[in-house]
Amino acid sequence: FDSNLYWMDNNPSSDNPEGRIMVSLNDGRYLRTLIKEIDRPTSLALNPEKGYVYKTKLFKQRNEQFA
């Protein structure tokens, strides 16, 4: 974890944006996809002590009206 760079890549302009979690060394070598086809990814968090990668996704919002 210490020498790696993690990020998310997605296409937010489509109706159903899919993304992926990417990783490489800090200098950009050894680029690879960790997880692909993530529905509406928004956030990424790391827990280096346990070696976990967490992601969140955007839910479709409903239009609600209140009287």
Side-chain angles (χ1 to χ4, degrees):
F1 261 178
D2 292 336
S3 61
N4 291 337
L5 178 64
Y6 296 81
W7 71 96
M8 290 191 322
D9 179 31
N10 66 9
N11 180 6
S13 63
S14 71
D15 288 338
N16 187 19
E18 288 187 348
R20 58 189 176 173
I21 296 176
M22 308 290 291
V23 63
S24 73
L25 291 180
N26 283 335
D27 62 7
R29 293 181 295 148
Y30 308 114
L31 172 67
R32 67 183 180 143
T33 301
L34 286 181
I35 303 171
K36 61 183 180 175
E37 299 178 5
I38 303 170
D39 181 34
R40 300 179 183 275
T42 55
S43 302
L44 181 65
L46 305 173
N47 183 339
E49 291 177 5
K50 297 204 179 227
Y52 293 158
V53 176
Y54 302 94
K55 65 166 180 68
T56 60
K57 69 179 197 171
L58 179 67
F59 293 98
K60 287 186 177 182
Q61 294 182 358
R62 298 181 302 186
N63 286 335
E64 295 183 9
Q65 295 181 349
F66 299 95

